[in-house]
Amino acid sequence: MNIKFTTKVFGAVAAALLLSTSANAAKCGKVTIADMNWASASLMANVDKAMLEAMGCEVELVAGSTMPTFTSMNETGQPDVAPEIWANAMADLVDSAVGAGRLHIGNIAPMSGLGEGWWVLPHTLDAHPELTTAQAILARPDLFPDKEDPSRGAFHGCPAGWGCQLSNQSLYKAFDMEALGWNLIDPGSAAGLDGSIAKASEQGENWFGYYWNPTSLVGKYDLRAVDFGVPYAGDDNWVGCIALGGDNCSDPEPSAWINSRVNTLLSDNMYYNGPKGAMDYFEARTWPGTVMNEMLVWMEDTGGTGADASVEFLSSHGDVWKPWVSADVAAAVEASL
């Protein structure tokens, strides 16, 4: 073998690849992604960063949270990507920005299984498979005794100051839970709510109350969402009554929890000038809720950041993310790990 010739060939190939990557980066330019201040959104931001870098972009993560990030995108066009915007509270503003062409929805539902509602532990359903709906559960307060008043059931609501506290107060009234033998429990804090679930799971006790997904706690304790047994009763009932709380909602109609609207938002610049394959990636990038919860548990157990978790996810779940991108991009992502 001619070693000098071979070395020259390899050097030429490497130089060509470097030039190609530089050209792609120049064409894509600089992209900013909101690194939102909760675990799932930070993980998504770091995975998006890896994908866009593999497409030739220069990517910067910028600190973000829901309303400030949306406002900045709407008014200045930056950042270019908000991976996980919970849009219920500002749906009209998002729709107005999208309708005017200032922002674009890259993915209408970036995760499966998203949402708020009522939950129970799996061992409860194993022992009582007949508890298929909220009504079935509400008929059995004896299975969920309040430690302060064991003659009544305990429904764990939200801490004071949370918006979901008001919604749960209204649903407590709508489902006539007081007459059915239930007490509405204020857990006092997020730690109190989480602790009540952890203790019940570890001691094999039944637990019934409010929570949301995706979260590490849902993944760790395998919480099961409760079917309300009734449909969503409409925005007038929810927004105009239930969301206002029991004191301001005199006649709430029983309802399933309002669907959680979560979108990936893109700037005008990303939508029109992003790298080839970027729009296809964002449209395809729907995280399975079970995988996201698995990653959130990993982050909690290891103390890992969104950046750490992105490496773990990309290394361990190629079956999930490789279908989101082309084979060339997938190979570049793997080479970067």
Side-chain angles (χ1 to χ4, degrees):
M1 177 183 290
N2 187 325
I3 295 177
K4 290 185 178 180
F5 176 77
T6 304
T7 302
K8 287 181 180 179
V9 170
F10 282 147
V13 170
L17 287 172
L18 180 61
L19 287 171
S20 174
T21 301
S22 299
N24 285 338
K27 182 178 179 181
C28 176
K30 186 174 181 179
V31 172
T32 51
I33 301 175
D35 189 355
M36 315 289 274
N37 57 356
W38 61 92
S40 59
S42 183
L43 169 55
M44 292 177 71
N46 279 275
V47 170
D48 288 349
K49 178 177 184 288
M51 298 298 181
L52 291 176
E53 285 178 340
M55 296 177 194
C57 298
E58 177 188 349
V59 181
E60 178 185 4
L61 295 181
V62 297
S65 57
T66 301
M67 200 64 203
T69 293
F70 168 77
T71 301
S72 178
M73 292 183 76
N74 191 32
E75 295 179 356
T76 72
Q78 290 292 323
D80 291 297
V81 182
E84 185 185 333
I85 288 286
W86 288 70
N88 279 73
M90 53 184 187
D92 290 344
L93 295 175
V94 172
D95 290 341
S96 177
V98 171
R102 294 187 299 275
L103 298 179
H104 305 268
I105 295 179
N107 191 304
I108 198 169
M111 277 180 279
S112 66
L114 287 164
E116 304 171 75
W118 293 353
W119 304 75
V120 293
L121 288 162
H123 62 249
T124 299
L125 296 183
D126 290 342
H128 300 279
E130 72 278 7
L131 301 182
T132 56
T133 64
Q135 287 94 331
I137 292 172
L138 295 181
R140 295 296 310 273
D142 57 297
L143 295 176
F144 305 85
D146 182 351
K147 286 181 169 42
E148 301 298 323
D149 181 3
S151 68
R152 296 178 63 81
F155 172 79
H156 298 264
C158 294
W162 290 20
C164 53
Q165 182 197 37
L166 300 177
S167 300
N168 279 309
Q169 287 174 350
S170 297
L171 291 174
Y172 180 80
K173 180 186 290 188
F175 284 97
D176 204 19
M177 291 174 67
E178 183 175 9
L180 291 173
W182 291 84
N183 290 334
L184 176 56
I185 308 300
D186 181 346
S189 65
L193 180 60
D194 290 359
S196 70
I197 296 170
K199 183 177 180 181
S201 177
E202 291 161 4
Q203 295 184 357
E205 298 172 347
N206 295 327
W207 183 95
F208 174 44
Y210 167 89
Y211 217 76
W212 68 97
N213 193 46
T215 54
S216 62
L217 194 139
V218 169
K220 185 173 184 177
Y221 296 108
D222 194 22
L223 285 177
R224 306 295 174 86
V226 172
D227 183 343
F228 278 85
V230 296
Y232 176 61
D235 290 348
D236 288 345
N237 178 58
W238 190 276
V239 178
C241 189
I242 287 176
L244 303 179
D247 293 340
N248 300 305
C249 181
S250 60
D251 190 24
E253 183 180 347
S255 175
W257 204 277
I258 187 172
N259 287 333
S260 295
R261 175 177 171 180
V262 182
N263 301 146
T264 294
L265 293 183
L266 306 177
S267 69
D268 209 39
N269 176 58
M270 171 56 70
Y271 187 78
Y272 287 110
N273 302 318
K276 180 181 179 182
M279 294 308 103
D280 290 339
Y281 160 67
F282 284 115
E283 289 177 7
R285 194 257 283 121
T286 298
W287 288 67
T290 53
V291 173
M292 176 57 78
N293 283 331
E294 175 190 329
M295 296 309 307
L296 296 180
V297 172
W298 183 91
M299 292 174 74
E300 182 174 280
D301 288 347
T302 64
T305 65
D308 299 327
S310 71
V311 175
E312 174 68 17
F313 168 73
L314 293 169
S315 300
S316 305
H317 289 286
D319 58 321
V320 174
W321 65 263
K322 286 183 181 179
W324 298 344
V325 293
S326 68
D328 289 346
V329 171
V333 169
E334 287 192 313
S336 72
L337 297 176

